[in-house]
């Protein structure tokens, strides 16, 4: 599960770097930002749902 988060963050960083460095590819930076937001949303959902599964002692 956390592997998907890591892959999404790496993809977002790579797209962001390409978007900044390459001339005329600003849309790749925007896509990288959207992927990063999606990865953070996924992490928030994962942490929220995993917190409920722990039994109380």
């Amino acid at each position: 599960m956390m592997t998907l988060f890591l892959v999404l963050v790496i993809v977002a960083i790579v797209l962001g770097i390409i978007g900044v460095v390459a001339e005329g590819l600003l849309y790749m930076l925007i896509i990288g930002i959207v992927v990063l937001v999606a990865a953070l949303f996924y992490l928030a959902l994962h942490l929220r749902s995993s917190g409920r599964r722990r039994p109380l002692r």
Side-chain angles (χ1 to χ4, degrees):
M1 288 295 207
M2 295 306 288
T3 306
L4 179 62
F5 172 73
L6 181 61
V7 169
L8 286 175
V9 169
I10 291 171
V11 168
I13 291 171
V14 170
L15 286 174
I17 290 172
I18 292 172
V20 169
V21 172
E23 186 177 332
L25 294 179
L26 184 63
Y27 67 92
M28 290 191 84
L29 174 63
I30 295 170
I31 292 172
I33 292 170
V34 169
V35 171
L36 181 64
V37 169
L40 292 174
F41 182 71
Y42 171 77
L43 179 67
L45 287 179
H46 180 71
L47 290 177
R48 184 176 176 193
S49 66
S50 67
R52 294 180 184 172
R53 295 181 187 167
R54 297 180 186 152
L56 294 175
R57 293 187 177 198

